[in-house]
Amino acid sequence: MRTRTGKTEDDPIGPSAEEAAPAAPAPRSPGVAVLTRLLVVLAVLAVAGGGIWLVTRAATPAASPTTTEIPALQVKAADVRPGSVAPAGGAVAGGAEQQTSPQQARSTGPATLSQWATQVAAATGVPARALQAYGNAELAMRADQPGCKISWATLAGIGRIESNHGQYAGAVLGADGRPSKPIIGVPLDGSAGVQAIGDTDGGRYDGDAGVDRAVGPMQFIPGTWRKWASDGNGDGLGDPQQIDDAALAAARYLCAGGRDMAGPGGWWAGILSYNNSTEYAQKVFGLADGYAKAAQPVRKQG
């Protein structure tokens, strides 16, 4: 086995006679000396340049494959005619017979939202941390725009399609609500099946100064995020990668213009404004309806 010095364990530890008394170096010509100094200078510049490149890369989000390819393809579109009906989760929840709303759990204190999320996670398969974000967004909108009636289940349907609730491409949603690695979509450069959207953020959110890319668990285009940026976790910042912020921004976007997300017309209009695709809306419908119905048996635990 070789040690880190390159010697084998059987090599003598001390220097040999030749190593102890090295021969005097042969004189070098001036040309060789100049060449040596030049090579040293070039090596230093190369290392410095490499250091600058690493710092720049570390400070800029790395672009990843689009989050709409894999999560969305795994979801089956519901066989429902657009505008005909809203999903079960589209109606405001919280009645005595249907305690699926986080408002019911939140009534006894902030900690119970986490308890509600844990119970609903077991019933739906949606990560509890993501459910906290969706539930918190519903609560915030109940207070700010009660006429919208946005449901946590609808937000969960969108979150599932866009990023598998912040878990796309092996990401793990942390306790702080941020994925373990930024979720960034493909370049929106007008290529086949992709909308053309020029850069609007200088690469600040998506790491691409050429064209825009959708970012975060709810896949906001940077220009749209600037308009709807929200602070869902109360830290004074709006971060599209943070799921509380992103879920609240999505809820505000869906409720724009006084839209009623509990009725068929308002619900479909809202989802199609998020992504103008009937198949996309049908997938969100199926997910939202399924999540709300699966959560119906959940009861608050004091």
Side-chain angles (χ1 to χ4, degrees):
M1 182 180 72
R2 288 200 167 270
T3 65
R4 297 181 64 181
T5 63
K7 292 181 178 289
T8 64
E9 293 180 332
D10 295 329
D11 290 335
I13 296 176
S16 64
E18 291 80 7
E19 291 173 324
R28 294 182 294 177
S29 66
V32 172
V34 171
L35 179 59
T36 301
R37 287 196 294 271
L38 179 60
L39 290 174
V40 171
V41 170
L42 290 175
V44 171
L45 290 175
V47 171
I52 294 172
W53 180 83
L54 287 172
V55 170
T56 302
R57 292 288 295 173
T60 302
S64 62
T66 180
T67 59
T68 59
E69 289 183 355
I70 296 178
L73 289 178
Q74 296 171 345
V75 177
K76 182 179 179 180
D79 184 14
V80 58
R81 182 170 56 84
S84 61
V85 63
V92 63
E97 297 80 19
Q98 183 180 359
Q99 297 185 23
T100 62
S101 169
Q103 186 178 34
Q104 290 278 318
R106 190 73 177 268
S107 62
T108 58
T112 58
L113 177 61
S114 175
Q115 185 180 55
W116 169 87
T118 299
Q119 296 176 67
V120 175
T124 62
V126 179
R129 184 61 186 85
L131 282 167
Q132 289 183 48
Y134 306 142
N136 184 69
E138 179 185 319
L139 290 174
M141 297 309 295
R142 282 173 181 260
D144 295 342
Q145 297 184 46
C148 176
K149 307 181 188 73
I150 184 70
S151 166
W152 64 268
T154 289
L155 295 171
I158 293 174
R160 168 64 180 85
I161 290 180
E162 297 293 354
S163 69
N164 193 20
H165 309 299
Q167 302 175 112
Y168 176 66
V172 176
L173 194 62
D176 62 357
R178 291 181 172 82
S180 55
K181 53 185 177 182
I183 299 174
I184 302 175
V186 297
L188 300 176
D189 55 9
S191 56
V194 176
Q195 186 178 3
I197 301 179
D199 177 65
T200 62
D201 67 336
R204 175 185 178 187
Y205 295 112
D206 58 14
D208 191 332
V211 295
D212 269 352
R213 300 170 182 244
V215 296
M218 303 301 275
Q219 285 290 274
F220 273 95
I221 295 169
T224 305
W225 174 256
R226 282 204 309 274
K227 181 177 180 180
W228 298 102
S230 303
D231 177 19
N233 63 347
D235 65 355
L237 303 173
D239 180 358
Q241 297 288 346
Q242 206 279 335
I243 198 166
D244 299 303
D245 295 353
L248 180 56
R252 292 178 59 223
Y253 181 94
L254 292 167
C255 291
R259 186 178 288 127
D260 179 0
M261 290 293 292
W267 190 90
W268 285 90
I271 301 303
L272 289 172
S273 74
Y274 206 90
N275 188 322
N276 191 21
S277 163
T278 298
E279 183 183 16
Y280 178 92
Q282 289 171 327
K283 289 183 176 185
V284 175
F285 181 99
L287 288 164
D289 195 62
Y291 288 150
K293 290 176 178 177
Q296 285 179 6
V298 173
R299 293 291 182 270
K300 182 183 70 173
Q301 296 179 2

